[in-house]
Amino acid sequence: MARTTLNPEWVRVGSTVRELRELRGLTPDEAARKLDISRSYLANIEAGRKRLQPVMASKIAALLSVRQISILRPDEFPAEAPV
């Protein structure tokens, strides 16, 4: 079986989602339930195996009380900035 290389942008975005979720004190199960998605789908986003689609980015940003741009460009738009 051939190994596939993960898209570095997807990995970075997924890592940001995981970090923000953990900072908000949400477990993966809690976050997935509140987002109405499966735990495995959230895990795939956080691991960079799935691309964070715009609609899901909006839902995650709302759940985590951050702007979407804070997930996509955390270096330029830190999550601490007002929503």
Side-chain angles (χ1 to χ4, degrees):
M1 181 177 354
R3 291 186 77 171
T4 56
T5 303
L6 296 177
N7 180 315
E9 181 67 9
W10 295 6
V11 171
R12 188 192 57 72
V13 169
S15 177
T16 300
V17 169
R18 180 184 308 110
E19 181 180 322
L20 291 170
R21 175 185 54 74
E22 290 173 349
L23 286 171
R24 299 301 187 263
L26 290 170
T27 67
D29 290 326
E30 290 170 327
R33 186 179 69 254
K34 290 179 180 194
L35 293 166
D36 198 28
I37 60 175
S38 71
R39 166 68 181 85
S40 62
Y41 185 68
L42 179 60
N44 281 320
I45 290 171
E46 290 184 352
R49 292 185 296 266
K50 293 279 185 188
R51 179 176 176 262
L52 180 60
Q53 298 295 327
V55 170
M56 187 54 57
S58 175
K59 289 180 179 183
I60 290 173
L63 174 66
L64 302 176
S65 299
V66 298
R67 299 177 296 169
Q68 286 184 49
I69 195 73
S70 296
I71 294 172
L72 303 174
R73 299 281 177 246
D75 293 339
E76 298 171 52
F77 302 92
E80 292 77 30
V83 176

